[in-house]
Amino acid sequence: MGKRSLGHLLAEGLGVAQDLAEAERLFQEAADDGDAHARFNLARLWWGKRDPQTVAGLLRSATESGVEEAYGPLGDLLTSMGDGVEAVTWYFRAIPMRVTPTCSTTRSPWRAT
């Protein structure tokens, strides 16, 4: 959790100079160590910069590990990739969790955790 937390501070520039490259490295290390929230944060950094299938894979992995905040963004990404059917499934999963889908196909305003 320490790597993910420091990565979050660096990604957001909270109390430190923003350093996306170092945040990415820390998120990747934490994700490799099995941290599902780090996979979610890595997907956030890679959104729009890497292959959408790769980002979707990170989000799916995060959701399978119980990261409910990833439901809406996964729906958004799938919508932008033309897979509205699966996207709706993720939006519906978000409803009982009180996780609000972002419903944005151009950018995703979701925050790191």
Side-chain angles (χ1 to χ4, degrees), residues 49-102:
K49 298 174 187 142
R50 298 279 179 106
D51 172 46
Q53 290 292 342
T54 301
V55 176
L58 287 169
L59 291 171
R60 279 190 184 98
S61 178
T63 62
E64 290 165 2
S65 296
V67 181
E68 297 168 357
E69 304 95 286
Y71 292 177
L74 180 54
D76 288 346
L77 183 58
L78 292 169
T79 297
S80 72
M81 293 168 59
D83 192 349
V85 173
E86 187 182 353
V88 168
T89 300
W90 288 106
Y91 290 142
F92 275 107
R93 286 184 184 182
I95 293 170
M97 304 302 168
R98 300 184 189 273
V99 176
T100 306
T102 57

Side-chain angles (χ1 to χ4, degrees), residues 1-60:
M1 188 160 107
K3 291 176 186 177
R4 173 178 28 111
S5 297
L6 180 55
H8 173 71
L9 295 175
L10 289 165
E12 298 296 325
L14 300 172
V16 296
Q18 187 177 45
D19 186 342
L20 295 177
E22 182 63 8
E24 179 179 1
R25 185 187 71 74
L26 291 167
F27 289 151
Q28 184 68 63
E29 285 183 13
D32 291 345
D33 291 341
D35 185 327
H37 282 88
R39 288 191 295 272
F40 174 71
N41 289 340
L42 192 57
R44 179 179 174 265
L45 281 182
W46 288 357
W47 186 282
K49 298 174 187 142
R50 298 279 179 106
D51 172 46
Q53 290 292 342
T54 301
V55 176
L58 287 169
L59 291 171
R60 279 190 184 98

